[in-house]
Amino acid sequence: LGETDVIRSIILLPGVTTVGEGAAGFNVRGGSIDQNLVILDEAPVYNSSHLFGFFSVFNPDAVKGVKLYKGGIPARFGGRLSSILDVRMREGNNKDFEMNGGIGTIFSRLSVEAPIIEDKASFLLAGRRSYIDVLAAPFLPESLGDTKLNFYDVTLKTNFKASEKDQFFLSGYLGRDVFQFGAQAGFNWGNGTGTFRWNHLFNDRLFSNFTVYYSNYDYQL
């Protein structure tokens, strides 16, 4: 009956407060919602919630770690005043096949991870979908036959160790909320991100990370 959630977890930390039920985001030390920078594998996420703020867009099965900077923000981050929420995704199991899932009252989730080349390359694929519209369909009148009330997201990450000094990472996220009331009215919104990172080790004291990312948020009425 309950779900693990990144955003709900950080609200328990000092200085972090909830915006309120039915609203997306969080406040840090009196700052507003738009003063928080939320990134997923270095790509900005412009709307971090599903279902008007009740769930975050981060699938717990795909999250490796979360860092919240409430002060002393590192120079590599910019563009926001209050805080940085840095979410990193898991690379996937590079030794064995593994599958996890859960069935909930609001949504269900499934994740699959496995090696592509043992100890060199692996992947993680995780997805979630709510099904309020599926359960309600038999009870709706014919005029509301096209009603859609759901959210979904898909998360993918893969990595490849090319040599002892070079490793490549590719990750992506696609999620959407759909509220369609019959054929005449509705709205939907969603995020899409993609990140490519090349990690190179020069020696025991020097390494580099080269990252290219894509991020898009759109809203349709």
Side-chain angles (χ1 to χ4, degrees), residues 5-216:
D5 193 275
V6 170
I7 302 296
R8 294 299 174 190
S9 297
I10 67 170
I11 288 173
L12 301 174
L13 298 175
V16 185
T17 59
T18 177
V19 181
E21 296 294 345
F26 56 95
N27 297 328
V28 177
R29 293 178 175 171
S32 62
I33 306 170
D34 59 352
Q35 291 174 339
N36 304 315
L37 175 62
V38 180
I39 57 177
L40 178 63
D41 273 357
E42 301 183 65
V45 177
Y46 295 105
N47 189 334
S48 60
S49 69
H50 285 307
L51 204 63
F52 303 107
F54 283 101
F55 300 100
S56 74
V57 299
F58 308 112
N59 189 330
D61 292 335
V63 173
K64 178 182 180 181
V66 179
K67 288 184 179 179
L68 178 65
Y69 298 90
K70 297 183 289 182
I73 297 174
R76 66 180 181 274
F77 300 116
R80 299 296 190 278
L81 185 64
S82 281
S83 71
I84 307 293
L85 181 64
D86 185 5
V87 181
R88 300 292 172 142
M89 291 165 48
R90 297 170 56 197
E91 286 86 18
N93 194 323
N94 63 1
K95 293 186 179 294
D96 301 300
F97 174 84
E98 186 177 342
M99 183 166 62
N100 295 293
I103 299 175
T105 53
I106 304 297
F107 64 84
S108 293
R109 65 184 193 275
L110 181 68
S111 67
V112 176
E113 53 185 309
I116 301 174
I117 303 173
E118 190 169 349
D119 294 326
K120 289 193 68 175
S122 62
F123 77 94
L124 168 72
L125 178 63
R128 299 185 297 176
R129 191 194 190 278
S130 66
Y131 35 72
I132 300 173
D133 51 349
V134 177
L135 298 177
F139 307 100
L140 295 176
E142 187 175 343
S143 60
L144 296 177
D146 293 330
T147 297
K148 297 178 181 179
L149 302 169
N150 64 70
F151 70 82
Y152 65 87
D153 55 45
V154 179
T155 305
L156 171 67
K157 187 164 186 178
T158 183
N159 71 95
F160 174 63
K161 189 175 183 180
S163 68
E164 291 298 322
K165 294 187 176 183
D166 294 284
Q167 191 166 7
F168 299 94
F169 301 87
L170 181 64
S171 61
Y173 168 86
L174 179 64
R176 198 149 203 90
D177 284 67
V178 180
F179 292 83
Q180 182 75 34
F181 307 102
Q184 302 301 320
F187 56 97
N188 64 84
W189 69 87
N191 291 284
T193 70
T195 303
F196 171 77
R197 180 163 62 93
W198 169 32
N199 175 257
H200 179 70
L201 181 67
F202 293 97
N203 53 52
D204 292 340
R205 293 188 174 186
L206 182 65
F207 72 92
S208 67
N209 275 317
F210 176 76
T211 302
V212 177
Y213 68 75
Y214 162 85
S215 183
N216 179 66

